[in-house]
Amino acid sequence: MTATLRQTANSVANTMIEGVSMTSALIGGAAGAYLGYQLAPVAWSDDSRIAFAGAVAVVGALAIDGLAELVLAPLRRLTRARSPLPSTRRSAPAPAATLDEALAQVTAATEEDAAHRAAGAAIRIDEGDNFLGDENRWRGYEDGEATFYFAPGVVLHHRAETGKYGRQHHFTLLTGDGEQPVAITGMEQIRHHLAARAAGLPAVPATADRDVDGDKDEVLDDDLTGIHAV
């Protein structure tokens, strides 16, 4: 059986299994409602008998579905085991024949790893994870840093370092016109900066972090050595 036919067969089997599960729950609910209404004391009002029947229907649906699951669960595991896992990773390159070739392979892998780590860490400033979390928009470098291109002359830079409390991630907005780099902690800062630049207004003082006294903190704690030019 080919992979396509096997996948189709598994899809049909999964659909049938879920159909049986839903049908058993419906049958159990209907039977419970009928029995509940019949067993309710005649002296009760119609509303009370209907409410009692509804409660019994829920219990009946759960009971029958639980019994059916004893049979359906092994079938689900069987179809899941036979379903081919989707391949999302590229195969590794062939072993290098020379040291230079190995270095080139590791360099390329390091750049991809840097882009992947930057996209993953971006959730710290983009909790929506639907913009900066796009790994394809990040460009990694062999030193482990990465940049996210916004517009000509404006990129977001990511670097990670091991600090006192574990791995720390730093995001910095870089421009190519000599402005001071701005430490970024949220998407609203990036939006403000781009809006200000589009209007021809200065944006660095408004986007840099401030302390409780209103004094502007330093943009970075240390030198941005190794930062890639825009």
Side-chain angles (χ1 to χ4, degrees), residues 22-23 32 50 61 89 92 94 104 117 142 152 158 171 175 177 192 198 208:
M22 183 178 298
T23 301
I50 292 174
R89 296 176 178 270
R117 289 177 182 272
E142 59 185 275
H158 169 262
F171 292 91
T175 61
D177 50 13
H192 176 86

Side-chain angles (χ1 to χ4, degrees), residues 21 24-25 28 58-73 76:
S21 177
S24 65
V58 173
V59 174
L62 294 176
I64 297 300
D65 186 61
L67 292 175
E69 192 65 21
L70 295 177
V71 177
L72 298 179
R76 284 196 180 94

Side-chain angles (χ1 to χ4, degrees), residues 34-170:
Y34 176 78
L35 291 176
Y37 191 81
Q38 295 299 320
L39 294 175
V42 179
W44 288 5
S45 65
D46 287 342
D47 291 341
S48 297
R49 296 184 70 184
I50 292 174
F52 180 75
V56 177
V58 173
V59 174
L62 294 176
I64 297 300
D65 186 61
L67 292 175
E69 192 65 21
L70 295 177
V71 177
L72 298 179
L75 295 178
R76 284 196 180 94
R77 289 194 293 269
L78 181 61
T79 56
R80 191 179 301 120
R82 291 182 175 180
S83 298
L85 295 175
S87 178
T88 58
R89 296 176 178 270
R90 293 182 303 173
S91 58
T98 65
L99 183 59
D100 288 340
E101 185 179 347
L103 178 60
Q105 291 179 354
V106 173
T107 298
T110 303
E111 293 173 352
E112 292 182 4
D113 178 72
H116 177 77
R117 289 177 182 272
I123 196 171
R124 290 166 172 78
I125 58 176
D126 178 16
E127 294 186 7
D129 198 27
N130 58 357
F131 185 63
L132 296 181
D134 184 356
E135 183 176 337
N136 294 325
R137 293 284 300 274
W138 285 93
R139 176 186 175 186
Y141 298 91
E142 59 185 275
D143 58 2
E145 299 179 359
T147 54
F148 187 102
Y149 175 86
F150 284 119
V154 184
V155 299
L156 183 67
H157 174 269
H158 169 262
R159 66 181 175 90
E161 62 183 10
T162 302
K164 181 179 179 180
Y165 302 103
R167 197 166 185 82
Q168 299 177 347
H169 298 270
H170 303 278

Side-chain angles (χ1 to χ4, degrees), residues 174-191:
L174 304 179
T175 61
D177 50 13
E179 292 183 358
Q180 191 176 22
V182 180
I184 297 297
T185 59
M187 291 294 292
E188 69 281 357
Q189 291 176 289
I190 300 174
R191 187 213 64 79

